[in-house]
Amino acid sequence: MKKNICFILAVVFCLNVWGQKIELSGTVTGLPEGTKLVVAEAVGSKLVARDTLTPASNGKYKVTLKAEQPTLFILQPQMQKGPQVHLMAMPGDKSLSMNLRYDAQHNFLQVVASKGSRNMEVYQKFNAALYGSLADFDRINVEYHNPATDDSRKKVLAQESQAVQVSQKLSIKETIGNYSDCLMSAFLVTYFDNDFATYCDLYEQVLGKLGTQYADNQFVANIAHMVATSLKEGSLAPEIEMKDKDGNIRKLSDLRGKVVLIDFWASWCAPCRAELPNVVRLYNKYKDKGFDIYSVSLDKDRNAWLQAIQNTGQVWPNHVSDLQGWTSSGGRAYGVSSIPHTVLIDAKGRIIGKKLRGEELANKLQEIFGE
């Protein structure tokens, strides 16, 4: 996961003199006997502990929450690195229910069932998307680290791991999109904060549903700020300054005066390599009209990177990589979380297109340069 949705728990207990009463009940199973649950409220960027409770021998628990305004709460086992679950309590809520199961192997609290509001529904679906991927990651990791697994198989497993992560993100994106009118979604979308440039449309969707009614809510206000400062079309493309295959520094800004396709790719990325013949064709067609390509590789293996450049006919000189994979400085600057990923900038260095591939890219370049 690129971003863990969590807070550092500030163990500061406060008097129960706040807000409208809302009853939360449910069950929690799988915890070590006698483990208590801490109930805390998000106050700004901190969590303030409001209560602790000891589930009954059959796992049942009940606690009274109080909220005069929409309030994010967490439940967390009182144990080292205890996992958290979250819920959004609204002033109109009367009673909420959440059944939990602790998975010790993964140190994960699974939301088995919930009811009481759509905010509860969307969180349960989000939680399920995270939990549902754990078995696949376990299987891949076990085989990957098996001494009998050869390098060719490891490359396949790395691709499988990426596919699982992509599937997880798609599921979470769909869930948040379907519940974008729920305030809980303004919190859950922070899962994509490290990939904001890729998921900007989702942030805009949530803001469109919640921005007017909940403008003062901390999570909605944060979305509004991020959208306002995002890499939208018309904004200046961030600088990339990285070493090329010969060790020389190449700056994206050195290509100012040309229309440039920033192409984030990797030798091991099958969709990237499938798209490259189209990119090569368009480069050869428009290179004499002021078109260029700045290729940022997310490879870690230098030889694989250089061999792929040669084998795929990428004859342009602007190939850069710091060989840091997903933590590439170029990728981070543009919030890249999946590849292929492209950004098209004009001669002034301003963004004029994103995620353009195939016919879409061809049509955009034809619009700019003509036939």
Side-chain angles (χ1 to χ4, degrees):
M1 186 190 306
K2 292 290 178 67
K3 185 177 183 69
N4 292 319
I5 298 186
C6 63
F7 293 88
I8 297 175
L9 181 58
V11 185
V12 180
F13 289 90
C14 299
L15 295 175
N16 270 342
V17 293
W18 41 278
Q20 174 181 318
K21 294 182 179 180
I22 303 168
E23 183 180 275
L24 172 67
S25 62
T27 60
V28 56
T29 60
L31 288 173
E33 186 177 352
T35 303
K36 296 181 179 181
L37 290 177
V38 176
V39 182
E41 174 193 351
V43 180
S45 60
K46 296 181 179 180
L47 282 178
V48 178
R50 296 299 190 187
D51 206 347
T52 58
L53 55 112
T54 303
S57 58
N58 59 3
K60 289 186 177 181
Y61 69 89
K62 183 182 293 186
V63 64
T64 299
L65 307 176
K66 297 181 181 180
E68 291 181 344
Q69 58 187 5
T71 305
L72 182 74
F73 290 94
I74 70 103
L75 272 69
Q76 182 175 25
Q78 201 173 53
M79 57 195 294
Q80 187 175 11
K81 296 182 179 179
Q84 300 175 348
V85 292
H86 305 78
L87 63 101
M88 185 71 69
M90 308 294 285
D93 293 336
K94 300 299 181 183
S95 63
L96 303 172
S97 174
M98 182 183 286
N99 293 345
L100 307 170
R101 184 184 72 85
Y102 178 62
D103 180 340
Q105 178 185 349
H106 300 102
N107 191 34
F108 191 95
L109 269 181
Q110 180 188 9
V111 180
V112 179
S114 66
K115 63 181 180 180
S117 71
R118 278 171 53 80
N119 283 309
M120 302 290 284
E121 289 178 20
V122 64
Y123 185 76
Q124 182 177 348
K125 292 177 182 293
F126 169 85
N127 179 273
L130 295 181
Y131 189 73
S133 302
L134 295 180
D136 286 327
F137 284 129
D138 284 346
R139 173 186 58 79
I140 292 169
N141 287 335
V142 168
E143 184 177 356
Y144 188 92
H145 294 290
N146 187 327
T149 304
D150 60 28
D151 289 343
S152 62
R153 179 56 181 166
K154 285 184 176 181
K155 289 182 180 180
V156 173
L157 290 169
Q159 293 174 19
E160 288 183 13
S161 181
Q162 182 189 7
V164 172
Q165 187 176 68
V166 168
S167 177
Q168 180 189 76
K169 288 186 174 183
L170 288 175
S171 177
I172 291 173
K173 179 183 178 182
E174 181 180 8
T175 294
I176 294 174
N178 290 339
Y179 288 82
S180 57
D181 60 329
C182 293
L183 190 55
M184 189 64 174
S185 290
F187 169 65
L188 295 179
V189 79
T190 62
Y191 172 85
F192 293 112
D193 277 0
N194 287 346
D195 309 321
F196 176 77
T198 301
Y199 295 94
C200 181
D201 291 348
L202 181 61
Y203 285 75
E204 290 177 338
Q205 180 182 344
V206 173
L207 183 62
K209 292 287 187 179
L210 304 173
T212 301
Q213 185 177 0
Y214 299 109
D216 294 333
N217 178 270
Q218 62 175 315
F219 302 113
V220 175
N222 182 59
I223 292 173
H225 173 74
M226 294 179 72
V227 169
T229 57
S230 66
L231 297 177
K232 287 178 168 264
E233 290 190 15
S235 63
L236 190 65
E239 176 70 291
I240 302 178
E241 184 175 345
M242 299 175 72
K243 290 183 179 180
D244 65 13
K245 58 186 179 179
D246 298 317
N248 300 313
I249 294 294
R250 288 186 182 267
K251 296 181 180 180
L252 176 63
S253 59
D254 288 341
L255 298 178
R256 198 64 53 84
K258 295 183 177 182
V259 173
V260 179
L261 181 72
I262 310 171
D263 185 20
F264 297 92
W265 74 294
S267 65
W268 46 259
C269 171
C272 301
R273 299 188 72 144
E275 173 65 9
L276 276 170
N278 180 57
V279 176
V280 171
R281 178 181 65 82
L282 293 172
Y283 173 76
N284 289 328
K285 182 175 182 179
Y286 295 114
K287 63 180 181 179
D288 295 330
K289 295 185 177 183
F291 176 59
D292 213 336
I293 299 174
Y294 187 93
S295 295
V296 182
S297 167
L298 271 61
D299 277 289
K300 289 186 175 182
D301 185 326
R302 173 179 170 80
N303 290 332
W305 170 42
L306 299 182
Q307 192 66 47
I309 292 173
Q310 180 178 345
N311 292 346
T312 54
Q314 300 179 69
V315 295
W316 50 90
N318 305 298
H319 287 276
V320 299
S321 181
D322 54 14
L323 301 176
Q324 295 300 310
W326 289 109
T327 60
S328 159
S329 60
R332 289 201 311 272
Y334 284 78
V336 175
S337 62
S338 62
I339 50 177
H341 182 89
T342 61
V343 178
L344 188 67
I345 61 176
D346 65 14
K348 296 181 179 180
R350 296 195 174 276
I351 297 172
I352 56 175
K354 295 186 294 183
K355 302 180 184 180
L356 299 175
R357 296 168 61 186
E359 189 172 328
E360 282 186 321
L361 177 59
N363 290 340
K364 185 67 175 180
L365 293 178
Q366 182 178 339
E367 175 185 324
I368 295 170
F369 296 111
E371 285 293 342

